[in-house]
Amino acid sequence: EADIYQTPRYLVIGTGKKITLECSQTMGHDKMYWYQQDPGMELHLIHYSYGVNSTEKGDLSSESTVSRIRTEHFPLTLESARPSHTSQYLCASSELPGKDSPLHFGNGTRLTVT
Amino acid sequence: AQSVTQPDIHITVSEGASLELRCNYSYGATPYLFWYVQSPGQGLQLLLKYFSGDTLVQGIKGFEAEFKRSQSSFNLRKPSVHWSDAAEYFCAVGGYNNNDMRFGAGTRLTVKP
């Protein structure tokens, strides 16, 4: 049972549109993450946050932006979608760094840009 | 730089047979190691994790994994596979701070009846 929720599950949108992928968690976790997942490839971290008003870029360059105004909410925005943004986007959360802080994932948003 | 290699892209086993999924990692410090499973249309679910101590760790759904430092491996095993185990399996390595966690490309498991 997922305690981290992503909407929409699927999104097909035209080039140039602005989109926001929603992610919310009910576990009270301080850290949240966005990963990009493509078939046959490792997951790539594109954004993360340590808590409210904290946002950092991950190791994969991304044209998206994120915000963290509330602990439970970590939306990802693409100002102008392009076909190269077609991918699956996974949101995750965890406790602050510590040995017992594995990632908890949402079910993902599959984005297709036409 | 840290990395994870899952040599097998796709494995097919018969229901009831044993399973071993391979994972090799490269990490400069003491690694934290994880196995996640992803069913179609779902996110990743944690199967098990290793931080320290006993090198054989037990996870959910009857899975176990063994950490072998000398071989830089963390292979996942299950003695008897069930049809519901068909999914994609991801090995991951990280440190104290999850920001540097690296995932393998995944191994897709198919279970034959």
Side-chain angles (χ1 to χ4, degrees):
Chain A
E1 197 73 34
D3 295 318
I4 180 163
Y5 305 97
Q6 292 187 240
T7 57
R9 290 294 308 276
Y10 303 92
L11 179 61
V12 180
I13 201 161
T15 298
K17 300 292 186 183
K18 177 180 179 179
I19 60 169
T20 296
L21 309 185
E22 301 288 348
C23 176
S24 295
Q25 51 98 4
T26 60
M27 296 172 282
H29 286 166
D30 287 297
K31 284 198 77 174
M32 295 189 74
Y33 314 76
W34 276 102
Y35 283 86
Q36 189 170 332
Q37 182 183 28
D38 295 300
M41 301 183 68
E42 66 170 287
L43 276 69
H44 286 290
L45 179 66
I46 51 176
H47 296 284
Y48 60 97
S49 165
Y50 285 103
V52 172
N53 294 327
S54 157
T55 61
E56 305 286 344
K57 289 189 180 295
D59 59 344
L60 180 68
S61 174
S62 174
E63 294 163 345
S64 59
T65 59
V66 291
S67 62
R68 190 88 183 275
I69 298 172
R70 304 197 314 267
T71 298
E72 63 272 20
H73 194 213
F74 192 43
L76 180 146
T77 298
L78 278 166
E79 290 291 335
S80 180
R82 295 209 305 267
S84 60
H85 297 138
T86 295
S87 186
Q88 168 140 277
Y89 293 84
L90 294 173
C91 182
S93 69
S94 73
E95 301 281 0
L96 283 175
K99 66 176 184 178
D100 199 9
S101 57
L103 301 177
H104 297 259
F105 284 87
N107 287 335
T109 294
R110 184 167 297 281
L111 173 65
T112 302
V113 183
T114 60
Chain B
Q2 50 266 32
S3 65
V4 176
T5 301
Q6 293 181 246
D8 304 304
I9 296 172
H10 183 207
I11 283 182
T12 299
V13 299
S14 297
E15 190 168 17
S18 64
L19 171 70
E20 181 169 28
L21 302 183
R22 295 182 291 163
C23 173
N24 293 99
Y25 69 89
S26 172
Y27 196 75
T30 301
Y32 295 166
L33 294 157
F34 308 84
W35 275 99
Y36 286 86
V37 60
Q38 184 178 33
S39 298
Q42 303 294 315
L44 277 69
Q45 180 186 19
L46 180 68
L47 279 177
L48 48 78
K49 57 184 185 283
Y50 170 81
F51 294 120
S52 64
D54 193 348
T55 56
L56 184 65
V57 293
Q58 303 297 320
I60 62 171
K61 305 184 182 188
F63 285 92
E64 67 178 26
E66 186 172 12
F67 170 56
K68 293 185 177 180
R69 184 185 298 275
S70 62
Q71 298 177 20
S72 297
S73 70
F74 189 57
N75 295 347
L76 182 71
R77 300 194 294 250
K78 186 169 185 178
S80 177
V81 169
H82 187 263
W83 64 266
S84 60
D85 294 324
E88 185 124 23
Y89 292 80
F90 292 90
C91 181
V93 63
Y96 184 81
N97 189 333
N98 285 332
N99 305 341
D100 65 352
M101 185 175 290
R102 288 293 182 269
F103 287 82
T107 296
R108 184 161 61 93
L109 173 66
T110 298
V111 181
K112 294 190 303 185

